[in-house]
Amino acid sequence: GLTVKATVTFQRWEGDTARFNGEAEFDACDALDSMDDEEIAQVERNEPYALDAVYKTAVRLGQIHDYDGPFEVDLDEDNLSDYLEARRNG
């Protein structure tokens, strides 16, 4: 099966600067599977907040813990390409 490795970097505010506060990894496949085609297109275009939606969906699915501070999400580009190709090919 496919895996889309996602890394979420948790941050905390120090004044106006977001500082590293740990990170975690999760498989984003289930979150991506639950998104509609427009949401997937936003992820593919790397639009602002599109990757945040992947993380928040994974939280709702119980795959990773929620976090109330700032965070950044990164998806493995090769994994994502493989996932998108498989999704397009049904």
Side-chain angles (χ1 to χ4, degrees):
L2 287 173
T3 298
V4 179
K5 180 181 155 192
T7 304
V8 58
T9 302
F10 304 110
Q11 302 165 330
R12 68 186 183 318
W13 289 111
E14 286 184 11
D16 292 336
T17 305
R19 301 277 186 206
F20 179 83
N21 195 32
E23 67 181 22
E25 292 181 351
F26 63 97
D27 181 354
C29 279
D30 288 344
L32 293 168
D33 284 347
S34 73
M35 298 176 122
D36 65 30
D37 290 341
E38 178 54 32
E39 291 169 314
I40 291 295
Q42 291 171 1
V43 169
E44 192 171 8
R45 291 189 301 261
N46 207 19
E47 290 188 10
Y49 306 110
L51 295 179
D52 293 2
V54 173
Y55 167 68
K56 290 296 188 183
T57 300
V59 168
R60 280 195 306 277
L61 294 172
Q63 294 181 303
I64 190 165
H65 66 280
D66 199 4
Y67 184 74
D68 65 357
F71 61 89
E72 292 180 359
V73 179
D74 182 59
L75 300 181
D76 181 281
E77 289 182 23
D78 291 335
N79 291 170
L80 181 59
S81 292
D82 292 345
Y83 173 86
L84 293 170
E85 183 178 334
R87 182 171 169 137
R88 283 189 198 100
N89 294 332

